[in-house]
Amino acid sequence: MRKPTPLPTELDHRGFLVDDAYASGVPRWRLQTSGYVTPSRGLRLAKGNEPDLELLARLHTAVTSRCAVSHFTAALLWSMPLPLHLEEEGLSGLIHVTRRHEAGRMKRRGVVGHRAPLLARDVRTLNGVNLTSPEWTFVDLALHMGRASLVAAGDYLLARENPLSSVEAMREVIERRPKVKGIRMAREVLPLLRSGVDSPQESRLRMKILDAGLPEPAITKAIFDEYGRYISTPDLQYEEYKIALEYEGDHHRRDPVQWGKDIERDDRLRAMGWIVLKFSKVQMNAGWTHSERKIKDALRSRGWRRPPS
């Protein structure tokens, strides 16, 4: 048996196009050794490596012209939050790829092919991968996600630091795709998106509050004391009623320094007359009935009354 020769340095040893290997002088027999798998024709991946979504996406968009990874694949590469079942599907090894209508649907093993009237501005390049723009991807997700999850994904695109999109850009794509499946959900969700949200769970908490018929809390608004000193920026708040709502993720619990700072912050708010309500994954799921009552009771204690229907 021949001893495998090292691959040329210009090839990514984790995975590459067969045509690129031949162009670099790699003999055919070298690509037929047991060290490689063929995820799709014209591609090779080194055996034993952890699945790499970005590498697979880069290879698939390189081997086929006029295409872009899309749907769940693009959402994961943009780091958009997805419900767990969609995240698992996106990481399953199947790559979603969209081509322009005139190019024809991509038909390859391991690929879910789509066709759409993509314009140049609907395709971006991220780390060498051609993928659908954040706003185009948002509309693609609308068919597959519930309202709260789609709001969380849209809020993520409007992040306080380095936002990936804007409401105007999303509206432009929505108006340009009036007949795509899921467009009604995308239209419904657009007015609910807010910029400056720090986590998907904050978005979901806000939606649960709205679905309960309670007033919408403000997002990431700084609170100062009577001397103008900064105290806190709660995840959500009712400034009029002096009620702060905080979602506590696992990182708060695991980091004792952060946990201590949170306790001191909340003590300062309470000293200023604020009610501080805290929520975790438990309160958001099985414990939501109690959490909803807790918010209502706090609002009523500060004079809020539900307007007559």
Side-chain angles (χ1 to χ4, degrees):
M1 179 179 294
R2 297 188 189 181
K3 182 178 180 181
T5 55
L7 290 175
T9 56
E10 61 265 25
L11 291 180
D12 186 335
H13 291 201
R14 299 171 303 155
F16 47 85
L17 303 187
V18 170
D19 285 347
D20 288 347
Y22 290 159
S24 298
V26 178
R28 184 180 298 273
W29 70 264
R30 179 69 174 85
L31 302 182
Q32 296 173 342
T33 61
S34 60
Y36 298 103
V37 295
T38 304
S40 186
R41 65 183 182 277
L43 308 180
R44 293 292 186 275
L45 292 178
K47 267 187 179 178
N49 288 341
E50 289 294 320
D52 188 323
L53 183 68
E54 184 178 287
L55 174 62
L56 273 174
R58 186 182 301 116
L59 293 175
H60 278 297
T61 56
V63 78
T64 303
S65 63
R66 291 182 292 174
C67 70
V69 294
S70 60
H71 294 76
F72 314 135
T73 309
L76 289 169
L77 293 178
W78 285 120
S79 298
M80 295 170 68
L82 295 176
L84 182 60
H85 69 285
L86 293 184
E87 183 176 338
E88 290 175 345
E89 181 175 338
L91 294 171
S92 67
L94 285 176
I95 303 294
H96 287 259
V97 178
T98 294
R99 299 187 77 193
R100 292 181 58 86
H101 278 304
E102 63 271 19
R105 193 186 304 273
M106 187 172 177
K107 296 180 180 179
R108 281 179 162 273
R109 187 174 65 206
V111 169
V112 181
H114 308 269
R115 296 170 66 214
L118 292 171
L119 301 178
R121 64 177 178 270
D122 299 321
V123 178
R124 309 281 176 81
T125 301
L126 179 70
N127 298 327
V129 180
N130 292 331
L131 68 168
T132 50
S133 69
E135 47 273 10
W136 188 281
T137 305
F138 171 80
V139 175
D140 280 342
L141 294 177
L143 175 64
H144 307 278
M145 292 167 66
R147 193 173 72 138
S149 292
L150 192 60
V151 167
D155 283 351
Y156 171 80
L157 300 182
L158 306 177
R160 184 168 20 179
E161 296 182 7
N162 303 316
L164 293 175
S165 189
S166 67
V167 170
E168 293 73 21
M170 284 186 267
R171 180 180 294 113
E172 189 273 334
V173 173
I174 288 172
E175 291 175 352
R176 196 154 38 93
R177 305 181 69 188
K179 296 182 180 180
V180 71
K181 292 180 179 179
I183 198 64
R184 185 176 299 177
M185 175 67 79
R187 288 197 192 103
E188 177 186 335
V189 159
L190 190 65
L192 300 172
L193 304 185
R194 300 291 180 266
S195 60
V197 179
D198 288 330
S199 79
Q201 291 298 350
E202 292 173 30
S203 299
R204 295 187 175 106
L205 175 57
R206 178 168 55 88
M207 293 308 300
K208 280 183 170 290
I209 291 171
L210 289 177
D211 289 343
L214 299 174
E216 180 175 359
I219 294 167
T220 56
K221 187 174 182 180
I223 297 174
F224 300 88
D225 67 13
E226 59 184 315
Y227 303 106
R229 293 176 298 199
Y230 172 77
I231 300 299
S232 174
T233 303
D235 296 330
L236 302 168
Q237 66 173 281
Y238 295 107
E239 183 179 18
E240 176 184 357
Y241 303 109
K242 299 183 78 171
I243 301 172
L245 301 92
E246 298 279 7
Y247 180 82
E248 302 288 357
D250 287 342
H251 65 283
H252 291 263
R253 178 176 50 82
R254 290 195 299 261
D255 185 342
V257 174
Q258 182 62 53
W259 194 8
K261 289 180 179 178
D262 291 347
I263 291 172
E264 293 175 0
R265 172 204 65 198
D266 295 342
D267 286 345
R268 289 195 295 269
L269 278 177
R270 293 188 180 102
M272 293 169 57
W274 282 72
I275 296 174
V276 181
L277 304 179
K278 296 205 166 197
F279 305 86
S280 71
K281 185 163 54 177
V282 173
Q283 282 75 41
M284 289 279 286
N285 296 313
W288 177 247
T289 300
H290 172 72
S291 298
E292 181 182 323
R293 189 181 309 116
K294 182 169 63 173
I295 299 170
K296 286 180 182 176
D297 290 345
L299 284 166
R300 287 170 178 158
S301 75
R302 292 295 169 90
W304 173 80
R305 295 295 179 266
R306 189 187 299 273
S309 55

